[in-house]
Amino acid sequence: MEHWRPADVAWEEAPAEYFTGDVLFGPVRNDGVLNILAVSFEPGARTDWHHHPEGQVLYVTNGAGLVQNEEGSAVEISTGDLVHAPPGEVHWHGALPDSPMTHVSHTTGGATVWEGRKVSEEEYGSVAGGGRSPVAESGY
Ligand code: MN
C-alpha cells in the first residue's frame, strides 16, 4: 500500500502550450497503466480542448471550476465533486474566474490527446460569466 499526503506532492509548472493561465502539475503516481496527477488552476486558468483515450476521473479537492464538453454542456464543480469524462469525449476543465481549483486526475490508456485549440476568452466567458452559485457542502 502507498499513501500520499498533500505535502508529498512536488508541484511543477504545467506546459504552457496546452493551458491558459497559471497551472501547476502535482504528479502523484504514474506506473504506465494508471496516472494519478493533481492539477492546480489559478482563477481563470484552464486546459485546452482535449480528450483521453480511455476516459478520465476528476476529483475536486479545492476551490471551484468548470468542465465543458463539445456538446456545450458546462457544469460548475467544487470541492468534493467527482467527474467522469468518457473515452474520447472532447472537453476542457479549469477554474472559475474568481476562484482557484485543484483536482486530482485519474487516467489509464496513455497520454492526453490535445485537439490543437485553446479555450478562447469568448468560449470561457460564455460559460463562466454568470458568477458563482453557492457551493454546497461536501458530501464526502
Ligand atoms: Mn480532461
Side-chain angles (χ1 to χ4, degrees):
M1 182 176 288
E2 297 171 86
H3 171 218
W4 296 269
R5 293 187 171 88
D8 297 330
V9 176
W11 295 96
E12 59 193 45
E13 285 187 27
E17 61 186 311
Y18 299 128
F19 294 85
T20 295
D22 293 329
V23 181
L24 296 177
F25 276 178
V28 176
R29 189 177 199 282
N30 185 3
D31 61 10
V33 176
L34 173 63
N35 186 8
I36 306 172
L37 174 70
V39 188
S40 181
F41 300 84
E42 289 300 307
R46 67 267 187 182
T47 70
D48 292 357
W49 289 97
H50 66 278
H51 70 271
H52 309 278
E54 294 185 359
Q56 180 180 41
V57 173
L58 301 174
Y59 178 55
V60 182
T61 57
N62 186 59
L66 292 161
V67 292
Q68 183 181 24
N69 66 23
E70 274 197 314
E71 283 64 52
S73 61
V75 175
E76 193 170 309
I77 55 175
S78 60
T79 304
D81 285 9
L82 276 160
V83 177
H84 175 237
E89 183 182 82
V90 176
H91 66 272
W92 63 270
H93 22 112
L96 286 181
D98 61 351
S99 175
M101 191 272 287
T102 301
H103 62 46
V104 180
S105 163
H106 308 71
T107 56
T108 58
T112 297
V113 179
W114 299 97
E115 307 297 319
R117 52 196 166 96
K118 316 294 285 185
V119 176
S120 69
E121 291 301 318
E122 186 176 66
E123 285 177 306
Y124 180 74
S126 71
V127 295
R132 180 138 67 106
S133 58
V135 175
E137 289 298 311
S138 171
Y140 295 96

